[in-house]
Amino acid sequence: MNFRAILPRTPNMRAAFLEVVNDALGSVAVIVSAIIISTTGWMQADSIAAMLIAALIIPRALKLLGEATHILLESTPKGLDLEDVRAHLVAHPLVLAVHDLHASQIASNLPILSAHVVVEDEAFHTGAAATLLGELQSCVAEHFEVSIEHSTFQIESRSHQTPEHESHE
């Protein structure tokens, strides 16, 4: 049985689920230690059960803390290279430049991306800018290992483009 397949996707739901599983395993350990103590008188069984329960809690707590920190710091999703994203977007025939490119994760398995995309002024008159938006959203959702289904693109004309500081990205 694939244990990961039954785990909830959000950190708080996963934490609650694992807490219930841990409580069940802890209860079994306490019952087993009680049986050992009552039948053999070996009192150290209680300490071993306590260490087993701690061994179950610590790795899970550290993993959840890492996931929560990654989300709260709005870090770039693991496995997503923003320079690759920029290069792929700029390769589109209508795109002149991409700036203010940001990607983060707002929940487990929910990466988001936003960018300013510069196109020729004529793209707004011909309707190509509207078509471009859908193409860019499909691109980031399908092309990369990390699928970004929630993306926001600000389409700018060349005449509107404003330079931004390099450190901003």
Side-chain angles (χ1 to χ4, degrees):
M1 179 168 149
N2 184 359
F3 185 68
R4 290 193 182 276
I6 62 171
L7 282 175
R9 298 186 115 201
T10 61
N12 57 343
M13 292 297 292
R14 186 169 35 252
F17 176 79
L18 291 174
E19 186 66 30
V20 169
V21 170
N22 189 61
D23 285 347
L25 292 174
S27 296
V28 169
V30 168
I31 291 169
V32 169
S33 72
I35 292 171
I36 290 172
I37 291 171
S38 67
T39 58
T40 66
W42 190 55
M43 300 299 285
Q44 290 81 1
D46 186 46
S47 297
I48 291 173
M51 288 188 289
L52 175 65
I53 292 169
L56 293 171
I57 292 172
I58 291 171
R60 177 177 50 95
L62 292 175
K63 182 171 175 26
L64 288 170
L65 180 63
E67 286 181 25
T69 301
H70 186 72
I71 291 168
L72 290 172
L73 291 176
E74 296 183 3
S75 302
T76 301
K78 293 175 185 167
L80 184 67
D81 184 349
L82 289 181
E83 288 308 313
D84 286 347
V85 173
R86 182 188 315 276
H88 192 74
L89 295 175
V90 170
H92 191 286
L94 294 176
V95 176
L96 300 175
V98 174
H99 64 97
D100 204 19
L101 176 62
H102 302 282
S104 63
Q105 199 162 317
I106 58 173
S108 292
N109 301 318
L110 186 58
I112 62 169
L113 181 132
S114 65
H116 293 224
V117 178
V118 181
V119 298
E120 290 290 352
D121 293 352
E122 293 81 35
F124 291 95
H125 303 297
T126 63
T131 305
L132 174 65
L133 179 60
E135 292 173 1
L136 295 177
Q137 288 173 328
S138 294
C139 168
V140 297
E142 299 167 3
H143 181 78
F144 299 100
E145 183 178 324
V146 176
S147 176
I148 302 170
E149 295 182 18
H150 299 278
S151 57
T152 304
F153 293 100
Q154 179 172 320
I155 310 293
E156 300 175 348
S157 64
R158 180 190 290 247
S159 61
H160 179 268
Q161 182 183 5
T162 57
E164 296 191 23
H165 300 291
E166 286 294 320
S167 64
H168 182 65
E169 295 193 53

